[in-house]
Amino acid sequence: MLAATAAVAGPWAAGGARRAAVDDFSVATLEGANAIFLEVQAGPRDSYVSLAHRYCGSERHWAALEKANQGRGVAAGLFYAIPFEVLKREHQVRALTALFPADGPEEEGWVHRVPEGDDGQTLESVASWFAGDPMLAGQLAEANGTAAGPLAAGSEIVVPRAVLLPDFEQATAVAGALRPLTDPPAAPPSAPRVLPAPPPKARPAPPQKVGELTFVEDARGAFALYRLKPGEALYSSVIMKFTGRLDPAEVQEVARQVSALSGIKDFRSIPAGFAVKIPRELILPEYLPAGDARRAAYESGLAAAQRHAITVKARDLDGVTIILDSGHGGDDVGARRNGVHEDDYVYDILCRIKELAEKSTAARVMTTLRDASSGYKPQDGPFAIDRDEYLLTSPVYYPRQPHAGTAGVNLRWYLVNSYYRRLVARGADPQKIVFLSLHADSLHPSARGAMVYVPGQAFRERTFGHSGRLYDRREVGELRFVKFAPDERERSEGYSRRLASRLVGAFRAAGLPVHDDKPIRDRIIRMRRTYAPAVIRSSLVPQSVLLEVANLGNKQDALLLKSPAFRQKVAAAVLDALRRHYGSELPGSTVSASAARKR
């Protein structure tokens, strides 16, 4: 290898090695698709011993550095290769992030995407890089439904959270490139790196008006202008609306970016008519200009989904199966804000929907979990955290830390898929099966009301599945991996959007608060990730929705969720939505005949 160089001439080195700058003093290099080195620039007083101490955490690795650099003496200003295996973990993470910028976190773990030109990467290498042990390659193969052997360019490998190194969990909180190294050479180098000249700048595009936004470009980049109207706030009227960010920390972060770009000194005192600048890359696709590729892809998928509608009717929901899930449980209590914790309160709504459906409709109700102490009897509360909910898998699963959240979510969709496949095998009409997952979110305090998430097509293109001791359940063994064909993704989003519309309409008709802007969404944007919720993303049920009944970050919403009357109204609204969805009459003063027969 070219172990010591005075300059970096570009992204590709001789012999097909690929380089990526990490910071001003180091370059990550990938050779032969599987060998990674960090090339670091030596200072005037450096030696292999000092470089080993700085980048490997121990002077005892000096011999490995000397061997990798063919025994050459250390000279200030030159670059020296350090094998990946002896690097400190923080430098390994920086090297990997620089070399594979398309990688990133998703709900089920870290997704590694094999770049073009890197054909030949192995699962052993991926396991070593991201899990710290090449012997975990077999688990990666099972979790991704792929055979052992070289990976083709474009392959996506999910490293499950159960084996993922904790450093990559921490990396989710770092925007863009990772932090610069904290320990540069002892003194300024005598021979600075030579970077390639930047390409000539293209002439900025002319301003383009799209609805309430005007898209412009200047020396600082591409952005959209929005002029605040009287009474509007930066958070709710700009950040949350046009970028889709709802998480409190992310709203604050984007607000800081927008303020810096726009010259805003104080968020709270922006005059009406002020032109707020929003970075173009943060804007939701539906607000972009018509010729933008992101908007075209979004609109194409939406149009395809809207072609699908259920064709069956169900008087009194006769023949309909409602699969109910409520978020979290056990050690995982979910969101906790304003004196309310999520799991017990949304579980009570599940119980109320179940009781009301069984008393007033002909529907069949199935659930994913049960409370060991209260069963399915609605409770008035207030609720203490009891942690005794368990999932109805075979054998049952009691969510326990540290895997309560991740395994609990995934086992739910395995259970739902098992229910669905058994129902269809017994002759049930797939259009008469509905999956509803109930939650209460923790968003920015200015947001309030219900939102419904549907499984967006763009987030269901991979194969989904998991392995490991926690997944030793009958339902997982029945069908460990799921993958959806394009027409299945279209149809499911279409069916689910129509059901979501019914839910939003029923909430509004009942006087229940609904999120002001885009109450139906096909993606979550959080922690710099964009994804569909795993519990509906991997569900085989064509009609799958996740209902956030309230925002616990909003004091009014949290107070409502404490109220048994509110929870009962939510249950009634859900059933009214299902009746309308299946063309049935709304309930009157008496119980329907078919429901009475059922009782």
Side-chain angles (χ1 to χ4, degrees):
M1 92 174 260
L2 296 177
T5 54
V8 179
W12 295 92
R18 182 158 61 81
R19 298 175 182 270
V22 175
D23 61 17
D24 290 340
F25 305 104
S26 61
V27 179
T29 303
L30 177 68
E31 296 189 357
N34 292 286
I36 294 177
F37 297 85
L38 184 68
E39 295 190 2
V40 301
Q41 195 172 40
R45 294 183 293 277
D46 270 329
S47 64
Y48 286 125
V49 172
S50 65
L51 291 175
H53 177 78
R54 186 182 310 143
Y55 292 99
C56 306
S58 173
E59 296 175 354
R60 64 185 177 86
H61 292 298
W62 71 268
L65 274 64
E66 184 178 51
K67 180 179 178 181
N69 293 277
Q70 303 170 3
R72 297 171 182 168
V74 178
L78 298 185
F79 282 80
Y80 293 85
I82 304 177
F84 181 87
E85 294 74 20
V86 298
L87 286 168
K88 287 194 293 186
R89 189 72 73 197
E90 63 178 303
H91 295 296
Q92 289 181 341
V93 172
R94 289 168 176 154
L96 290 168
T97 307
L99 286 168
F100 307 118
D103 290 5
E106 291 190 4
E107 265 193 313
E108 67 272 29
W110 188 272
V111 180
H112 171 61
R113 298 174 173 88
V114 181
E116 293 297 328
D118 285 0
D119 302 72
Q121 283 186 19
T122 65
L123 285 174
E124 287 78 11
S125 291
V126 176
S128 176
W129 297 338
F130 299 102
D133 185 355
M135 299 301 291
L136 294 171
Q139 286 198 34
L140 296 191
E142 186 177 3
N144 289 274
T146 185
L151 301 172
S155 299
E156 291 190 353
I157 299 297
V158 176
V159 184
R161 291 187 184 277
V163 299
L164 182 66
L165 290 169
D167 305 77
F168 290 96
E169 291 285 342
Q170 297 166 8
T172 64
V174 181
L178 294 179
R179 301 183 305 276
L181 299 179
T182 56
D183 40 14
S190 58
R193 283 170 46 204
V194 179
L195 297 176
K201 292 184 178 180
R203 179 177 298 177
Q208 186 175 6
K209 179 75 171 175
V210 182
E212 297 179 289
L213 300 177
T214 301
F215 288 84
V216 297
E217 293 182 26
D218 64 13
R220 302 184 65 180
F223 52 88
L225 288 174
Y226 176 77
R227 295 195 176 275
L228 280 178
K229 301 179 180 66
E232 288 188 332
L234 181 66
Y235 290 148
S236 57
S237 300
V238 180
I239 307 302
M240 294 163 63
K241 177 178 181 179
F242 293 114
T243 75
R245 272 66 175 176
L246 296 172
D247 179 77
E250 293 211 348
V251 171
Q252 290 281 358
E253 180 184 331
V254 174
R256 286 192 291 268
Q257 294 181 48
V258 168
S259 296
L261 184 64
S262 307
I264 297 172
K265 303 299 183 184
D266 186 347
F267 298 166
R268 299 162 297 181
S269 58
I270 309 173
F274 186 89
V276 178
K277 295 180 180 179
I278 315 164
R280 181 168 177 146
E281 66 270 15
L282 298 181
I283 295 174
L284 290 171
E286 54 264 42
Y287 293 111
L288 294 170
D292 187 280
R294 283 201 294 140
R295 175 168 174 172
Y298 170 79
E299 290 182 340
S300 175
L302 188 60
Q306 288 174 339
R307 291 195 293 266
H308 299 278
I310 63 168
T311 57
V312 298
K313 302 293 183 182
R315 181 181 177 84
D316 297 325
L317 302 184
D318 191 17
V320 172
T321 299
I322 309 168
I323 303 174
L324 292 176
D325 169 61
S326 64
H328 311 282
D331 281 355
D332 177 17
V333 300
R336 299 171 77 172
R337 298 287 297 278
N338 291 310
V340 182
H341 61 278
E342 180 178 1
D343 69 327
D344 286 302
Y345 286 90
V346 294
Y347 180 76
D348 184 63
I349 293 175
L350 175 150
C351 296
R352 292 171 186 274
I353 295 173
K354 184 176 189 298
E355 181 181 74
L356 194 57
E358 291 173 345
K359 286 183 176 179
S360 64
T361 79
R364 177 183 184 180
V365 179
M366 304 176 76
T367 68
T368 62
L369 75 167
R370 188 177 191 276
D371 188 292
S373 55
S374 63
Y376 295 114
K377 181 176 177 56
Q379 307 288 314
D380 285 347
F383 296 100
I385 298 175
D386 56 15
R387 304 181 190 275
D388 66 347
E389 300 87 359
Y390 59 91
L391 297 182
L392 300 173
T393 53
S394 303
V396 298
Y397 173 72
Y398 289 89
R400 294 291 178 259
Q401 297 295 3
H403 306 293
T406 303
V409 168
N410 294 323
L411 286 174
R412 289 166 200 264
W413 64 256
Y414 275 118
L415 179 58
V416 168
N417 288 352
S418 179
Y419 286 164
Y420 175 75
R421 294 172 72 244
R422 277 186 276 159
L423 288 166
V424 172
R426 294 170 184 169
D429 186 336
Q431 291 192 29
K432 287 189 175 182
I433 304 173
V434 171
F435 173 45
L436 174 62
S437 185
L438 300 160
H439 293 256
D441 217 333
S442 177
L443 307 177
H444 193 272
S446 63
R448 72 168 310 206
M451 290 199 302
V452 189
Y453 288 94
V454 301
Q457 300 167 62
F459 309 102
R460 308 182 85 189
E461 295 178 349
R462 294 190 294 102
T463 298
F464 304 102
H466 299 274
S467 61
R469 179 181 55 82
L470 294 176
Y471 295 98
D472 290 340
R473 301 289 190 278
R474 184 192 71 193
E475 293 78 10
V476 179
E478 290 173 355
L479 185 66
R480 185 177 295 274
F481 299 102
V482 295
K483 186 173 180 61
F484 301 94
D487 62 324
E488 292 176 313
R489 299 197 297 266
E490 280 184 15
R491 183 167 56 252
S492 181
E493 183 177 342
Y495 287 174
S496 301
R497 280 189 179 276
R498 292 177 188 275
L499 176 58
S501 295
R502 291 295 191 189
L503 287 166
V504 169
F507 267 58
R508 286 175 172 154
L512 298 169
V514 174
H515 190 70
D516 286 338
D517 186 57
K518 293 185 289 298
I520 300 172
R521 302 187 177 214
D522 66 352
R523 68 196 69 191
I524 294 174
I525 303 175
R526 189 170 293 172
M527 290 295 289
R528 300 179 184 87
R529 295 180 290 153
T530 303
Y531 57 90
V535 72
I536 59 172
R537 181 203 58 201
S538 302
S539 167
L540 293 175
V541 181
Q543 298 182 88
S544 294
V545 297
L546 186 151
L547 171 61
E548 299 279 5
V549 298
N551 170 27
L552 298 186
N554 179 282
K555 291 183 178 180
Q556 293 172 282
D557 272 15
L559 187 62
L560 277 177
L561 194 57
K562 286 183 176 181
S563 164
F566 171 79
R567 299 195 297 274
Q568 188 68 25
K569 286 183 71 174
V570 169
V574 167
L575 287 176
D576 286 349
L578 288 170
R579 288 186 180 94
R580 291 186 181 277
H581 188 59
Y582 284 104
S584 180
E585 77 281 357
L586 292 181
S589 58
T590 59
V591 177
S592 66
S594 58
R597 287 195 303 272
K598 181 177 163 185
R599 290 191 297 170

